[in-house]
Amino acid sequence: MLLLRSKWWPPIWISVVTFVGLVGALVVEGPVGDIAGAVGLGAPLLVTVWFLRRA
Amino acid sequence: MNNQVLRRWRWWHKWSSIVCTLFLLMLCVTGLPLIFSDEISNFFDPPASDAGAKLFGATALDAAVSGAHSAYPKESVRLVYLDHDKQRILLRLSPGPDDTFDHTHQMTFSAESGVLLHDGDPPGDSVMDFILRLHAEMLAGLPGELFLGLMGVAFAVAIVSGVVLYAPFSRRMGFGEIRRKRSSRLRWLDMHNLIGLTSGCWAMIVGLTGVMNSLATPLFGLWEMRDVAPILGPYIHDPALAPHAPVSVAIRAAEAALPGMATTFVTYPTHISGSPDHYVVWTQGQSKLRSRMLTPVLVDSRTGTVAFVAAMPWYLRMLEICRPLHFGDYGGLTLKWLWALLDVVTIAVLGSGVYLLFGGGRKSRVVAGDATAGEAALAEELLLVEGRT
């Protein structure tokens, strides 16, 4: 029930993107891996900045 | 979640945060320059630019070792490091073969010709070494490492309890909502929640891999005791040998025994984390992940033949995989900058947490009632939650 509340979805998605990005950057060779890492860490930063600016 | 459970989680969040915050701040601040340690090292000591030449050949390796022996005839070579990034051979020497590593000094040779480039530690090294020791062990050796590991566990508890508290403490709010028109403490609480939630996964990964790193010394000790000591038993009372076989022969033999692996460093015969009769050739894989996984090969220092390939146990493989996830040095400069920004974000979470816990005032005492003065925002929220349950 708790997880069905809409405000849980953004942090869950951010966590999944971060985890997959960081592990992807470690496992995948070349620029694709580097991009995965950048997306994985860029997502939480962008979301943070977006909400802070909105406030 | 009833009030009692809520209070219990709040207790865990409060005290786990109080216990670890100061140390986490130190780790975040000292971690910042360590993220860019390669770039800082390259700034003070630029890499060679002889790309395309044959590097780390037998002639260069053996010339480097004989050059070190000529310069310091009474000293023992302890370690040969093949610096592929800077295309150099680094040698560490000490007065005796069983001196601790603190007593070694460095000589740097060209990876192409084996010519001496620099005698002594490179500039800037001692500063970065100090920061690293402060970050990893608070200059206190193994007790410092284990203590910081414990702080990492407290940090993980603070993150988990913080996520649990997020639900009741923002019941009527959407994700990322910041209540600008309420008290400044509630605004800080909302920002603390937002930044904590968005960076929580990264912080958890870095925290837990840091805990794993803090266990490196005992884990390596366990491996040496359980797996390596029985093999080295017959040699343990021998004096540390001066090798007859050149180091290049040992490297060639180790790489032939493990196809696809490349040598990263070699330790000379010693009783300190090594064998008195063998070179230990440390090899690594070629891919991004496998380059983090080391496999040691013991090579007889008299004959240059492989004596034993030491398979690493699962817990050391886990440690090796955890390391890059703590250092953030595996995805280029972009990843490093993002890593540094999240480090700063974590400092903001810690700072806002300190403000929420200790930044109380007159109003907080009135609102909080039985709570301590510094918990104003949390208490205010708690009262709101309790009023509805």
Side-chain angles (χ1 to χ4, degrees):
Chain A
M1 280 296 289
L2 203 63
L3 290 178
L4 290 177
R5 291 178 191 168
S6 62
K7 69 181 169 192
W8 278 104
W9 286 113
I12 288 172
W13 274 113
I14 292 166
S15 299
V16 169
V17 169
T18 302
F19 185 79
V20 171
L22 284 181
V23 175
L26 185 59
V27 174
V28 181
E29 293 291 318
V32 176
D34 293 353
I35 290 167
V39 171
L41 290 193
L45 284 167
L46 280 176
V47 170
T48 306
V49 170
W50 193 76
F51 277 105
L52 286 177
R53 278 178 63 90
R54 207 176 67 156
Chain B
M1 194 182 291
N2 64 39
N3 291 345
Q4 199 184 355
V5 176
L6 194 64
R7 282 177 185 279
R8 199 171 296 150
W9 277 109
R10 197 161 65 96
W11 185 91
W12 277 107
H13 188 60
K14 175 185 166 186
W15 285 104
S16 57
S17 304
I18 286 175
V19 162
C20 72
T21 293
L22 193 64
F23 300 99
L24 255 296
L25 278 170
M26 180 276 288
L27 290 171
C28 286
V29 171
T30 54
L32 267 178
L34 291 175
I35 295 168
F36 299 102
S37 58
D38 289 339
E39 286 72 20
I40 293 169
S41 166
N42 287 346
F43 175 78
F44 285 110
D45 188 20
S49 56
D50 50 356
K54 180 174 164 39
L55 302 173
F56 305 107
T59 314
L61 283 163
D62 296 334
V65 172
S66 67
H69 280 307
S70 304
Y72 297 94
K74 291 183 179 171
E75 296 200 0
S76 304
V77 176
R78 300 293 305 282
L79 181 137
V80 177
Y81 177 69
L82 281 58
D83 187 346
H84 293 274
D85 292 335
K86 290 192 176 180
Q87 303 172 357
R88 290 169 181 180
I89 302 165
L90 309 180
L91 265 65
R92 293 206 76 92
L93 297 95
S94 68
D98 292 333
D99 291 329
T100 59
F101 210 69
D102 298 344
H103 292 95
T104 61
H105 63 96
Q106 184 170 300
M107 295 181 82
T108 307
F109 295 86
S110 161
E112 186 189 0
S113 60
V115 168
L116 178 66
L117 300 174
H118 184 70
D119 189 356
D121 291 334
D125 230 32
S126 55
V127 176
M128 291 306 287
D129 188 51
F130 174 80
I131 294 172
L132 178 62
R133 288 186 55 219
L134 190 60
H135 183 86
E137 58 176 53
M138 293 194 304
L139 313 176
L142 182 60
E145 282 178 38
L146 296 177
F147 178 79
L148 286 177
L150 211 59
M151 293 302 104
V153 173
F155 183 48
V157 171
I159 293 171
V160 170
S161 54
V163 170
V164 171
L165 287 174
Y166 163 68
F169 277 82
S170 54
R171 188 166 287 186
R172 291 177 303 173
M173 300 162 59
F175 174 77
E177 194 177 328
I178 293 170
R179 290 167 288 188
R180 281 180 302 161
K181 291 176 182 170
R182 300 291 297 276
S183 69
S184 68
R185 290 185 195 85
L186 277 181
R187 203 161 55 241
W188 274 97
L189 175 65
D190 292 341
M191 285 196 281
H192 180 81
N193 285 343
L194 167 66
I195 303 173
L197 274 174
T198 52
S199 64
C201 180
W202 174 83
M204 193 69 154
I205 290 170
V206 175
L208 291 180
T209 51
V211 172
M212 194 69 188
N213 276 334
S214 72
L215 299 174
T217 307
L219 288 179
F220 268 100
L222 180 68
W223 171 64
E224 282 181 359
M225 203 168 63
R226 282 184 52 183
D227 300 344
V228 181
I231 293 152
L232 296 182
Y235 310 102
I236 205 72
H237 298 295
D238 294 351
L241 292 177
H244 298 306
V247 70
S248 62
V249 172
I251 289 173
R252 204 164 50 234
E255 290 180 351
L258 291 173
M261 303 289 272
T263 302
T264 177
F265 66 95
V266 182
T267 57
Y268 270 56
T270 177
H271 289 96
I272 308 285
S273 297
S275 161
D277 286 45
H278 301 92
Y279 287 111
V280 183
V281 182
W282 291 81
T283 61
Q284 61 183 20
Q286 304 288 332
S287 71
K288 202 189 276 186
L289 182 62
R290 290 188 65 81
S291 68
R292 309 287 172 156
M293 298 182 181
L294 300 175
T295 302
V297 182
L298 271 73
V299 178
D300 193 308
S301 65
R302 280 167 290 213
T303 61
T305 54
V306 171
F308 174 63
V309 177
M312 292 292 231
W314 66 269
Y315 48 88
L316 288 183
R317 286 286 181 237
M318 279 279 291
L319 174 68
E320 288 170 327
I321 292 170
C322 282
R323 278 185 162 154
L325 289 170
H326 186 77
F327 302 149
D329 60 349
Y330 58 95
L333 199 56
T334 309
L335 193 77
K336 287 187 177 187
W337 277 110
L338 293 170
W339 210 273
L341 283 172
L342 278 165
D343 189 299
V344 173
V345 161
T346 305
I347 292 174
V349 175
L350 294 170
S352 57
V354 169
Y355 173 76
L356 289 168
L357 279 170
F358 300 111
R362 186 188 60 79
K363 186 183 171 188
S364 69
R365 289 188 186 89
V366 174
V367 174
D370 63 332
T372 58
E375 299 174 275
L378 294 175
E380 195 174 339
E381 270 299 314
L382 187 60
L383 287 176
L384 287 172
V385 171
E386 284 172 350
R388 288 191 299 272
T389 49

